[in-house]
Amino acid sequence: MTASMTVEQARELLLERVHPLEVERVDLLEALGRVLAQDMRSDIDVAPFDNSAMDGFAVRAADLATASEETPARLRVIEHIAAGDAPTLTVGSGEAARIMTGAPVPQGADAVVMVEYSEAVEGDGGTGSLVALSRAVVKGENVRKQGEEVRAGDVVLNAGETVGAAGIGLLASTGHAQVPVYRRPRVAVISTGSELVEVDQTPGPGKIRNSNSYSVSAQVAAAGAIPLRFGIVPDDMQATRDAFTRAAAEADFIVTSGGVSVGDFDYVKPVLEELGELMYCKVAMRPGNPQTMGVISGVPFFGLPGNPTSTFVGFEMFVRPAIRRMLGHTALDRPVTLARLAHDVRKKPDRRYYLRGRISRGADGLEVALSGSQSSALLTAAHRGNCFMVLPEGEQQFSTGQIVECIRLDMEEGTVV
Ligand code: AMP
Ligand code: MG
């Protein structure tokens, strides 16, 4: 199948072929940003015991029912409880325990009075002192209850949730030194082109540096996957065959750049057809027709065009959602916001355009301007931009002030806008 299809159809065909990878257990901190593969339960109550929310005095609320600045309650301090201590005494009527934040509330006490409302009448406020407390408290005041966060055996984080810093903290307090998450895909990044030289070389006549290998690998890493940067593959049938065969053996997904046009030395399509299956190679978008989709030995293959910005856009629109699905994410789309055009834009009526733009907040809300030359051979506009301005197929003339859709590259998938 080689007829041109819409971006949506092409995405659908690719996404049907990718699935969350198998589950691995990783050290807690490595779970940051990953998707949980199982419900996580707590082994203990959190908090494990009733504890004080303040530095102050643990008391029986009934003893302070009428306490005020004029008529403070006078209590004898029987114990001094620091965080980490286990109290040994029971607070009786007329008694208090000096207590620090996070320390266990002793038997008998049911509230904590802040230290700010105390005054030592005898002694220094520690064990044996007599203190005057000038504030009434209700039962439970300044006491954090056992099991307030989660009870032993209950689910603290759910399967499918992305683990953030707060989630890491919850997993730590519930005893999870290791966490089951979906494995990160290994993505082979292959640059085709006999004109390419490595970054540390000065290009000779007719040569250019292999920048796509780095930009695409960076996009792979930014999406949460592991790039396997293959060397430059010259425009040669056998070299292409060898690289694709090795990639299919080593990777969960294969991305290539270049070699998918109708040039005389474009071998990506013929080799893909020979080794596996070619699903499509044209998508009605600009930049980025052709985009080539296939499978080799069960490994999904995506052939991006060679022009650096076509590569960048194609990755963002197709490969990034596929990687996210392999990582277990269900939010696959970047947020889209509407913005007012800061200037006129013309396009050819044919395909849908994904122009590199910069969105900012103007006097009348969000506005968007092109972030540089839109030639697909140039990357600067993508570097300066923070969105793709989407201009629909069929239309031609867009005027200043007109509202357009912008795909927000500055926001993660799932962000509510
Ligand atoms: P192709 O699709 O192979 O015809 O390549 C289209 C254009 O992209 C050509 O001008 C190539 O020189 C350029 N190009 C291809 N691969 C790369 C690469 N890895 N890095 C930078 N430019 C590239
Ligand atoms: Mg080429």
Side-chain angles (χ1 to χ4, degrees):
M1 181 169 28
T2 54
S4 184
M5 57 177 71
T6 65
V7 170
E8 288 72 23
Q9 289 169 327
R11 251 171 86 117
E12 189 54 34
L13 263 184
L14 171 61
L15 290 175
E16 274 171 13
R17 282 164 178 78
V18 295
H19 309 284
L21 298 183
E22 63 277 22
V23 178
E24 64 176 358
R25 292 183 74 78
V26 298
D27 287 347
L28 178 52
L29 205 46
E30 276 174 34
L32 183 65
R34 307 280 289 273
V35 180
L36 273 178
Q38 288 166 21
D39 288 346
M40 302 301 285
R41 293 175 187 278
S42 181
D43 61 340
I44 55 166
D45 288 351
V46 178
F49 45 83
D50 289 358
N51 65 94
S52 181
M54 296 289 173
D55 296 329
F57 293 90
V59 299
R60 299 164 83 103
D63 281 355
L64 277 73
T66 60
S68 68
E69 275 186 41
E70 294 76 38
T71 57
R74 289 177 168 221
L75 301 177
R76 183 65 65 186
V77 180
I78 59 166
E79 194 172 13
H80 196 153
I81 310 163
D85 286 351
T88 55
L89 301 174
T90 297
V91 174
S93 188
E95 294 177 342
R98 187 154 171 75
I99 192 165
M100 303 295 112
T101 303
V105 174
Q107 291 286 319
D110 55 20
V112 171
V113 184
M114 291 165 69
V115 70
E116 287 84 343
Y117 302 112
S118 72
E119 202 174 329
V121 180
E122 285 170 31
D124 61 359
T127 307
S129 304
L130 189 65
V131 289
L133 303 176
S134 60
R135 175 98 167 203
V137 283
V138 294
K139 265 192 181 181
E141 197 165 328
N142 296 325
V143 175
R144 302 187 290 212
K145 299 300 287 179
Q146 176 171 346
E148 212 167 53
E149 187 95 77
V150 62
R151 289 271 174 201
D154 284 354
V155 172
V156 62
L157 263 69
N158 291 95
E161 289 179 340
T162 302
V163 182
I168 294 271
L170 287 168
L171 291 167
S173 61
T174 54
H176 299 285
Q178 296 219 306
V179 181
V181 292
Y182 294 101
R183 184 166 71 72
R184 296 165 70 197
R186 292 147 48 89
V187 179
V189 177
I190 300 174
S191 294
T192 74
S194 295
E195 74 277 34
L196 302 175
V197 300
E198 266 312 334
V199 183
D200 55 2
Q201 291 174 20
T202 305
K207 307 290 187 192
I208 59 167
R209 288 197 174 106
N210 177 18
S211 65
N212 287 347
S213 178
Y214 289 88
S215 57
V216 172
S217 294
Q219 285 180 295
V220 168
I226 302 163
L228 307 178
R229 227 172 50 75
F230 278 51
I232 295 161
V233 177
D235 296 316
D236 170 87
M237 189 91 171
Q238 190 55 42
T240 307
R241 223 181 249 136
D242 292 347
F244 288 9
T245 305
R246 184 157 79 82
E250 293 177 9
D252 303 297
F253 195 100
I254 304 167
V255 194
T256 64
S257 85
V260 286
S261 318
V262 289
D264 292 340
F265 305 100
D266 288 338
Y267 293 113
V268 169
K269 281 182 281 178
V271 171
L272 184 53
E273 274 183 314
E274 179 193 304
L275 297 179
E277 191 191 346
L278 172 68
M279 242 94 72
Y280 61 77
C281 61
K282 277 203 166 116
V283 181
M285 65 188 291
R286 208 188 268 267
N289 176 10
Q291 309 277 359
T292 303
M293 159 73 198
V295 180
I296 302 177
S297 310
V299 180
F301 177 107
F302 204 87
L304 297 164
N307 275 312
T309 280
S310 309
T311 311
F312 182 81
V313 173
F315 187 99
E316 179 63 37
M317 297 309 298
F318 300 102
V319 182
R320 183 174 163 104
I323 288 175
R324 287 184 62 85
R325 174 159 284 178
M326 287 188 275
L327 283 163
H329 291 287
T330 49
L332 304 182
D333 296 311
R334 297 268 200 190
V336 173
T337 56
L338 299 177
R340 228 172 276 279
L341 271 180
H343 50 72
D344 294 354
V345 184
R346 283 187 66 78
K347 69 183 270 292
K348 293 187 183 141
D350 58 352
R351 290 170 260 166
R352 190 187 305 166
Y353 279 29
Y354 292 86
L355 300 179
R356 278 69 64 208
R358 180 138 202 106
I359 200 163
S360 60
R361 191 166 294 281
D364 300 324
L366 295 179
E367 58 181 48
V368 62
L370 295 176
S371 48
S373 164
Q374 297 293 310
S375 161
S376 60
L378 307 177
L379 259 184
T380 301
H383 166 63
R384 301 233 161 98
N386 58 7
C387 70
F388 293 153
M389 189 192 288
V390 184
L391 302 183
E393 42 276 80
E395 295 178 47
Q396 209 164 351
Q397 177 64 48
F398 298 81
S399 322
T400 308
Q402 201 171 329
I403 303 294
V404 293
E405 286 191 350
C406 297
I407 298 175
R408 299 296 297 268
L409 306 181
D410 56 346
M411 291 180 184
E412 211 185 314
E413 293 84 347
T415 305
V416 177
V417 289

